[in-house]
């Protein structure tokens, strides 16, 4: 399978616990995005990386959230001290962009569904 | 204020009909426009993109863009029950720097009646 993969697919945790999600992008894609989607809403941007550099973070991303992409390949998203409001689908997307520009298309992974009790 | 608006729906059409899904956006600098299909419990799947004014056709799908009116639409011809899903409109301001994120509408749920 050469698509975006995410792990785990489902996570149930108790309020106050820390959770970490992993995303493996499509091979050779240099950009990686994290989005969050709640029921009845479209995905909302959280943060993104170009190679290993984190280029933008949304105001939605509180201090309890941290993301890394240490070697420019896979990425992790950690949520510390989870709250019930963190319950959502966390989506990862990747894309390939060239220095010369051109249309960028993002491809999504299957998502990690988080439930905080 | 929401930056990408989609009719709340749901939209129901009979099998074989044309389904028309509409989207408006607020940022005049937006350059690229995408339609994603999302089945219940699944992640978004890219089905069409467009960046020039006019129509773009791919099989049963046609995307239409009117930048002057800040309007983008998706037509699905010969609708099939398998087209029943939520359709998300997404806008990208540019592919550089801070503007490359996608901004999504809430989505519109399409139901195709057999």
């Amino acid at each position: 399978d050469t698509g975006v993969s995410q792990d785990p697919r489902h996570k149930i945790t108790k309020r106050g616990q820390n959770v970490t999600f992993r995303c493996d992008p499509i091979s050779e894609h240099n950009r990686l995005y994290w989005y969050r989607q709640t029921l009845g809403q479209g995905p909302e941007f959280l943060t993104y990386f170009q190679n290993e550099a984190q280029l933008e973070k949304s105001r939605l991303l509180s201090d309890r959230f941290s993301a890394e992409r240490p070697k420019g390949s896979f990425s992790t998203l950690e949520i510390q001290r989870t709250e019930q409001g963190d319950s959502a689908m966390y989506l990862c997307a990747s894309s390939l962009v060239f220095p010369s520009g051109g249309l960028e298309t993002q491809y999504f992974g299957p998502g990690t569904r988080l439930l905080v009790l | 204020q929401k930056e990408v608006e989609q009719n709340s729906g749901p939209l129901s059409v009979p099998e074989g009909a044309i389904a028309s899904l509409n989207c408006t956006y607020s940022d005049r600098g937006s350059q690229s426009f995408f339609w994603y299909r999302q089945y219940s419990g699944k992640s978004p799947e890219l089905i069409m993109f467009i960046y020039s004014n006019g129509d773009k056709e791919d099989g049963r799908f046609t995307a239409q863009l009117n930048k002057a009116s800040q309007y983008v639409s998706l037509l699905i011809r010969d609708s099939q029950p398998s087209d029943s899903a939520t359709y998300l409109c997404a806008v990208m301001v540019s592919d550089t720097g801070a503007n490359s994120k996608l901004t999504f509408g809430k989505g519109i749920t399409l139901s195709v009646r057999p």
Side-chain angles (χ1 to χ4, degrees):
Chain A
D1 187 350
T2 57
V4 179
S5 62
Q6 293 187 246
D7 184 69
R9 298 288 300 276
H10 303 273
K11 179 70 176 179
I12 300 174
T13 191
K14 292 183 179 179
R15 189 176 52 189
Q17 298 295 304
N18 298 344
V19 294
T20 300
F21 308 142
R22 174 178 171 129
C23 171
D24 287 87
I26 293 172
S27 179
E28 297 180 355
H29 275 195
N30 49 11
R31 282 193 180 167
L32 188 150
Y33 295 79
W34 287 99
Y35 293 85
R36 179 172 66 188
Q37 186 177 25
T38 54
L39 199 61
Q41 303 294 317
E44 293 179 297
F45 169 79
L46 294 178
T47 188
Y48 92 96
F49 296 82
Q50 179 147 335
N51 300 312
E52 65 275 9
Q54 189 172 17
L55 295 189
E56 188 185 359
K57 292 194 293 186
S58 165
R59 284 169 290 180
L60 291 175
L61 215 64
S62 75
D63 291 345
R64 297 184 297 105
F65 288 72
S66 62
E68 294 183 340
R69 193 183 184 199
K71 297 182 179 179
S73 56
F74 73 91
S75 174
T76 57
L77 177 68
E78 181 183 18
I79 309 174
Q80 296 182 327
R81 305 181 303 282
T82 53
E83 302 173 355
Q84 288 182 326
D86 296 331
S87 295
M89 170 87 92
Y90 289 83
L91 293 161
C92 176
S94 72
S95 67
L96 177 62
V97 295
F98 298 96
S100 56
L103 181 70
E104 176 185 0
T105 53
Q106 296 179 22
Y107 297 91
F108 283 83
T112 295
R113 190 174 296 279
L114 173 66
L115 177 61
V116 182
L117 301 176
Chain B
Q1 182 180 357
K2 191 73 174 175
E3 297 177 24
V4 179
E5 296 280 354
Q6 294 183 251
N7 290 342
S8 58
L11 176 66
S12 180
V13 301
E15 185 174 355
I18 296 175
S20 177
L21 312 175
N22 305 318
C23 174
T24 58
Y25 59 95
S26 59
D27 191 332
R28 283 197 172 274
S30 300
Q31 294 188 3
S32 307
F33 307 86
F34 304 83
W35 284 98
Y36 286 83
R37 178 175 61 198
Q38 187 171 29
Y39 292 112
S40 181
K42 302 297 184 181
S43 64
E45 173 192 8
L46 179 67
I47 55 172
M48 288 287 288
F49 60 85
I50 187 167
Y51 54 90
S52 298
N53 277 327
D55 295 359
K56 179 183 178 183
E57 186 175 318
D58 183 2
R60 295 186 296 111
F61 298 98
T62 298
Q64 298 174 317
L65 174 61
N66 184 324
K67 288 188 177 181
S69 300
Q70 295 175 241
Y71 176 91
V72 58
S73 66
L74 179 70
L75 300 178
I76 306 175
R77 290 181 300 281
D78 188 24
S79 295
Q80 301 296 310
S82 59
D83 295 326
S84 298
T86 296
Y87 290 80
L88 296 162
C89 172
V91 173
M92 182 185 293
V93 173
S94 86
D95 63 357
T96 59
N99 293 321
S100 66
K101 63 180 180 290
L102 291 172
T103 300
F104 285 86
K106 280 189 174 183
I108 183 167
T109 299
L110 171 67
S111 175
V112 180
R113 309 187 301 272

